[in-house]
Structures are given as C-alpha cells and as structure tokens.
C-alpha cells in the first residue's frame, strides 16, 4: 500500500494544482493569453485531483469490503470443518458438486478420445487407400510404357524387313 495509501496520483495532481494556483498571480501581468491558460488549467487540475481522490476512496472501499467478507468466510470455514464450500464468483459450490462435474468432464474426455481414435483409424485407412491408388497408377503407367515399347519394337521390325 505504501506511505501514501495508494494516493500517489492524487498527491502528484494536487501538488501540480497547488503550484499552478500559486504561480497564477505572478504570470497574470506577462500576457493576457497566460491568464486564459491559467484560468483553464487551475480548475481542471483541481478537478483531476478531486477525481483521483474520489476514485481511490471508492477503490479502497470496495477492496475493504471484499477482504472483510473473505475474512468472515475463512473464519466460518475454519470453525465448521464438516462441509467444504468453495466460493467462485459469488456462488458457493460444494465438494460433491465439484466431483459430479469432474466425473461428467471425465466422461466427455473419454468420448473425445474414442472419437479421436476412430478418426485416426480412418486417416490410416485413407492413407492406405492413397498408397494403393498410387501403386495402381504406377502399374497403369508401366503398362502404358510397355505398350509403347511394344509398338516401337514392332515398328522397328517392320522397317528392318
């Protein structure tokens, strides 16, 4: 929390607003535009200081109430060891409900594993079919080459006669 109680932004903005407020009377005589700048800057910085202070107070209040309620819950849990209760987003969930959810998720995980096994076997079967088709294509291309060679050989025999 620090020395300032998390009010560092408030202190820095307040110091800046104080300095601007203190310097305003000295710079009025220099130029009219500086008077306008100071008329705008001083209220704005004081407003920012007030806003920082209010927001930090609100944050402190909210965190105090959270720690206070969690401290009360911890005391009640330590006093009553019979029921185990977990707090999740303002909901109280018992150990039995967690076990039920865990069992359901385990069943779903097992189903997913089975479907993955089925998909893996399908992929293996398809890979085997692809390799068989590649072999058939190679056989057909060899037959075509053989037929072309036979035609060339018979063409050469006809020319030699």
């Amino acid at each position: 929390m620090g020395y300032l109680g998390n009010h560092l932004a408030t202190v820095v903005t307040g110091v800046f607003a104080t300095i601007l407020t203190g310097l305003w009377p000295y710079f009025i005589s220099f130029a009219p535009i500086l008077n306008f700048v100071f008329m705008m800057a001083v209220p704005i910085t004081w407003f920012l200081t007030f806003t920082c202070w209010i927001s930090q107070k609100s944050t402190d209040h909210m965190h105090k109430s959270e720690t206070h309620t969690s401290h009360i819950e911890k005391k009640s849990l330590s006093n009553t060891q019979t029921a185990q209760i977990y707090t999740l987003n303002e909901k109280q969930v018992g150990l039995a409900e967690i076990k039920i959810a865990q069992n359901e998720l385990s069943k779903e995980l097992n189903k997913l594993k089975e479907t993955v096994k089925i998909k893996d076997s399908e992929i293996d079967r398809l890979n085997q079919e692809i390799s068989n088709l590649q072999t058939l294509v190679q056989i057909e291309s060899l037959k075509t080459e053989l037929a072309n060679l036979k035609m060339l050989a018979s063409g050469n025999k006809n020319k030699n006669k």
Side-chain angles (χ1 to χ4, degrees):
M1 204 146 166
Y3 293 113
L4 301 175
N6 287 338
H7 284 279
L8 183 62
T10 306
V11 170
V12 169
T13 311
V15 167
F16 184 63
T18 305
I19 290 171
L20 282 179
T21 304
L23 290 178
W24 190 1
Y26 297 110
F27 285 104
I28 290 177
S29 60
F30 286 123
I33 191 71
L34 284 178
N35 189 26
F36 177 74
V37 168
F38 275 96
M39 277 193 324
M40 297 300 292
V42 169
I44 289 172
T45 53
W46 281 114
F47 175 76
L48 287 174
T49 304
F50 177 73
T51 305
C52 288
W53 180 75
I54 287 292
S55 64
Q56 188 59 49
K57 283 294 186 182
S58 172
T59 303
D60 290 344
H61 178 71
M62 293 302 291
H63 286 291
K64 279 183 185 175
S65 63
E66 282 180 10
T67 56
H68 183 66
T69 56
S70 65
H71 182 66
I72 290 171
E73 288 174 5
K74 286 179 185 177
K75 273 188 174 178
S76 66
L77 284 177
S78 65
N79 291 339
T80 59
Q81 294 291 331
T82 57
Q84 294 181 353
I85 298 172
Y86 298 95
T87 303
L88 300 172
N89 295 335
E90 303 296 325
K91 289 184 179 179
Q92 291 184 350
V93 180
L95 187 60
E97 292 172 354
I98 291 174
K99 289 291 184 185
I100 292 170
Q102 186 179 15
N103 289 336
E104 290 174 1
L105 290 174
S106 296
K107 288 177 185 175
E108 287 182 34
L109 181 63
N110 289 335
K111 287 179 186 176
L112 285 174
K113 285 181 181 178
E114 289 298 319
T115 56
V116 166
K117 286 180 185 176
I118 292 170
K119 297 294 182 186
D120 285 342
S121 64
E122 280 185 43
I123 289 172
D124 290 339
R125 184 183 58 80
L126 289 173
N127 283 335
Q128 184 64 36
E129 283 185 30
I130 289 171
S131 65
N132 290 342
L133 287 173
Q134 287 175 344
T135 305
L136 288 174
V137 167
Q138 290 172 350
I139 290 172
E140 289 297 321
S141 67
L142 287 174
K143 283 182 183 178
T144 305
E145 279 185 48
L146 188 60
N148 287 338
L149 288 174
K150 283 182 182 178
M151 286 178 52
L152 286 174
S154 66
N156 283 342
K157 282 184 185 179
N158 289 340
K159 287 183 183 179
N160 289 339
K161 288 184 182 181

